[in-house]
Amino acid sequence: MVKKKYLLSFTPTLVSEPITYKMVKEFDLMLNILRAEVSERGGRLLIEVEGKPSQINKGVKFVRDAGVEVKELNEYVSKDDDRCTDCGMCVSICPADAFEMDRKTWKVHFKADKCIACGLCIDACPPYAMKLRIW
Amino acid sequence: MKRTYEEINRKIKSGDAVIMTAEEVIDVVERQGIKSAAKEVDVVTTGTFGAMCSSGAFLNFGHSEPPIKMQRVWLNDVPAYTGLAAVDAYIGVTELKENGDTDYGGAQVIEELIAGKAVQLKATAYGTDCYPRRKIETYVSLKTLNQAYIYNPRNAYQNYAVATNSSDLTLFTYMGKLLPNYGNATFSSAGQLSPLLKDPQCRTIGIGTRIFLGGGKGFVAWEGTQFNTSVPTKNGVPVRSARTLAVVGDMREMSAEFVRALIFHRYGISLAIGIGIPIPILDEETMKSVAVTDRDLFAPVLDYSVQSRNRKPIKEVSYAELRSGSIELLGKKVKTSSLSSYHKARVIADKLKKWIKEGDFLLSEPVEKLPEERTFKPLEVISKEEVG
């Protein structure tokens, strides 16, 4: 079992189709919705998918074939280490515990794999070291 | 055991002085006791790197041809105060850019100048017989300015509150983003590394004390604004925000590593600046003060959703608890965040230690002591007669 994160972009005509439901059901995937948005330009969905690698690939292909744009995301929030002062303001803000304060060096480490792209840290960072790369 | 500034400086010059950071000395005292540690160690260095809103810089631009008596001044569109002589100005870190941009202000101008960048200068004037010019637009940098020195009226607060939020809305404060329903708690002091917590009565820190300021050498200029000695103490150390320092130093010596503009979203702009102060071990009493640990230093937890100057502390917590990552508030585990960088505080204390070790930095005896008694008065709306 592996976990992967994808940003799905739906055109306005696809928004009403139950595409992600079929993806979950037919390919036996566990899906966690991290962010969702619908506007006049269509819909965008940020999901974390857990399942067998082969099933995930099939699921992604299915969604693509349905006309949805799929982008795998490895890093959607980034930390500018030169700008970061290692204060730790982000540590108590992050609901996913993606920031770790190393209690030996007192430096802040950002664990991108834990990040759920909620964006709460962006405006909380005093030296504005955090950037959101999607949306 | 008694030691004088002269003896310490003689040892620094001959390379025999024993210098330790406020963290290192804690271990020594725990191992061998106050008495023996006081005998062994000559100087203990402290450090802090936090948001210090009451900061700014004096700049002298030099005279243009024809000359101008500047009446209004902007640096990168951030207004500076120029109600001084013709080409002097003071730029405060919290001043915002004039076009409604709330993400750029005096702190960014100061950081950019220190980083060696050019900054746009605009000035207007009404014109006089001796200063006929009415307008100027040009660029300045630390190379072109005559004087450029930081003068911060209030820095290095001796202790500070812990902020939390009992309301059901997120609050945006100078203590950072406070999540609803006690979602987090933020604190500011560097605790056991913080300069004024290690010299609680200001026995050695006074006017004229040479310090580390923003990466260069600076001095304590005066008591800081809101200097307050009338506060409760625990283990001989204030458990509320108490004493403060006004500090001064040449921007040309500073580095952007220790001077950083900050944005507190929906609050405003501030500046983080590194300050380190050496504490001479004059006797066992000074050793006792510098060896106080985070376990014995306490701060009050205040509810920032109470929009009043009279917030009553919910409880007092130790810096050891704050640093552990969470505190307990009303039976709930609340995650904590520091607003000042303990990592940088440590780097500063280390750097200062190195400077002293290498003989580049001598200790200075205060030319005058800071006030032994001061209260922090509120501002009341009163009539002329009531002022008395």
Side-chain angles (χ1 to χ4, degrees), chain A residues 80-97 101-108 119-128, chain B residues 23 49 103 108 111 172 175-179 183-186 260-265 322-325 335-344 346:
Chain A
D80 178 345
D81 289 333
D82 289 334
R83 197 74 216 156
C84 172
T85 65
D86 295 293
C87 68
M89 181 64 222
C90 49
V91 175
S92 74
I93 290 290
C94 179
D97 291 324
M101 176 60 86
D102 181 330
R103 292 200 155 66
K104 280 209 168 69
T105 61
W106 295 100
K107 282 178 85 84
V108 175
L120 282 182
C121 59
I122 308 297
D123 63 13
C125 173
Y128 39 104
Chain B
E23 270 185 316
F49 184 86
D103 284 351
Q108 279 85 356
E111 186 188 318
F172 295 90
M175 291 297 283
K177 191 167 172 176
L178 300 175
L179 302 177
N184 66 343
T186 62
R260 187 63 53 89
L262 305 176
I263 300 171
F264 286 93
H265 184 68
L322 288 165
R323 290 237 173 268
S324 76
K335 284 203 268 181
T336 56
S337 273
S338 170
L339 285 170
S340 74
S341 169
Y342 195 76
H343 172 74
K344 284 220 190 244
R346 193 186 261 180

Side-chain angles (χ1 to χ4, degrees), chain B residues 18-312:
Chain B
V18 177
I19 335 280
M20 281 186 193
T21 70
E23 270 185 316
E24 291 164 344
V25 83
I26 286 170
D27 293 337
V28 175
V29 167
E30 274 170 11
R31 250 194 342 262
Q32 53 194 69
I34 301 258
K35 226 179 175 151
S36 148
K39 219 182 245 175
E40 185 182 322
V41 181
D42 299 292
V43 181
V44 169
T45 60
T46 61
T48 185
F49 184 86
M52 309 209 196
C53 292
S54 217
S55 299
F58 280 106
L59 308 172
N60 176 281
F61 303 113
H63 289 288
S64 57
E65 182 61 30
I68 182 170
K69 176 182 176 296
M70 297 174 178
Q71 191 197 1
R72 298 192 70 195
V73 163
W74 297 263
L75 291 154
N76 283 354
D77 294 323
V78 180
Y81 180 76
T82 185
L84 302 162
V87 292
D88 282 336
Y90 183 82
I91 180 152
V93 301
T94 66
E95 188 72 52
L96 296 176
K97 199 169 173 175
E98 227 172 31
N99 59 4
D101 181 352
T102 54
D103 284 351
Y104 192 91
Q108 279 85 356
V109 171
I110 288 173
E111 186 188 318
E112 284 179 30
L113 282 171
I114 287 171
K117 292 184 187 158
V119 163
Q120 191 197 38
L121 165 69
K122 277 194 277 189
T124 57
Y126 48 83
T128 72
D129 291 342
C130 44
Y131 291 106
R133 191 173 189 135
R134 284 162 185 260
K135 203 169 178 243
I136 191 165
E137 264 190 57
T138 180
Y139 284 87
V140 297
S141 76
L142 285 189
K143 273 189 210 143
T144 74
L145 293 164
N146 289 306
Q147 280 73 31
Y149 55 87
I150 293 288
Y151 186 98
N152 300 344
R154 180 168 76 253
N155 280 178
Y157 236 125
Q158 185 178 40
N159 217 341
Y160 209 82
V162 181
T164 191
N165 170 18
S166 71
S167 79
D168 49 16
L169 296 170
T170 297
L171 299 180
F172 295 90
T173 74
Y174 65 86
M175 291 297 283
K177 191 167 172 176
L178 300 175
L179 302 177
N181 307 314
Y182 304 103
N184 66 343
T186 62
F187 64 103
S188 193
S189 176
Q192 61 188 11
L193 265 176
S194 178
L196 293 185
L197 287 179
K198 303 320 296 269
D199 184 9
Q201 307 296 320
C202 288
R203 288 183 63 216
T204 70
I205 300 170
I207 294 168
T209 297
R210 187 179 288 114
I211 62 171
F212 173 108
L213 182 61
K217 285 172 203 163
F219 296 91
V220 173
W222 204 251
E223 64 180 276
T225 53
Q226 300 183 14
F227 192 97
N228 187 6
T229 62
S230 312
V231 292
T233 61
K234 231 179 218 177
N235 304 313
V237 186
V239 288
R240 299 286 183 277
S241 45
R243 294 164 181 82
T244 63
L245 299 176
V247 298
V248 60
D250 194 339
M251 282 167 73
R252 286 189 180 87
E253 287 190 30
M254 297 184 187
S255 123
E257 190 190 343
F258 300 108
V259 181
R260 187 63 53 89
L262 305 176
I263 300 171
F264 286 93
H265 184 68
R266 288 170 64 181
Y267 171 78
I269 305 282
S270 189
L271 185 78
I273 187 161
I275 295 182
I277 305 186
I279 297 173
I281 303 304
L282 301 175
D283 49 27
E284 281 160 21
E285 196 52 38
T286 40
M287 178 50 87
K288 204 176 145 196
S289 320
V290 296
V292 170
T293 72
D294 277 345
R295 292 188 302 275
D296 305 313
L297 296 167
F298 294 85
V301 182
L302 302 184
D303 181 357
Y304 273 60
S305 71
V306 179
Q307 295 181 329
S308 160
R309 68 184 181 206
N310 296 319
R311 298 187 190 106
K312 297 269 170 293

Side-chain angles (χ1 to χ4, degrees), chain A residues 7-71:
Chain A
L7 178 64
L8 312 186
S9 302
F10 297 75
T11 57
T13 48
L14 286 172
V15 169
S16 52
E17 299 279 323
I19 293 169
T20 36
Y21 166 75
K22 286 184 190 160
M23 179 189 185
V24 170
K25 192 144 197 270
E26 288 178 26
F27 302 96
D28 190 25
L29 299 171
M30 291 218 292
L31 196 141
N32 189 13
I33 296 170
L34 304 178
R35 274 178 96 118
E37 182 192 81
V38 179
S39 73
E40 54 279 282
R41 284 169 287 123
R44 290 198 289 180
L45 192 61
L46 181 65
I47 51 169
E48 185 179 67
V49 183
E50 192 175 347
K52 286 189 192 137
S54 59
Q55 292 296 98
I56 291 180
N57 288 341
K58 279 184 205 161
V60 166
K61 187 176 178 299
F62 163 77
V63 176
R64 266 201 189 114
D65 290 347
V68 176
E69 189 194 312
V70 182
K71 213 164 85 185

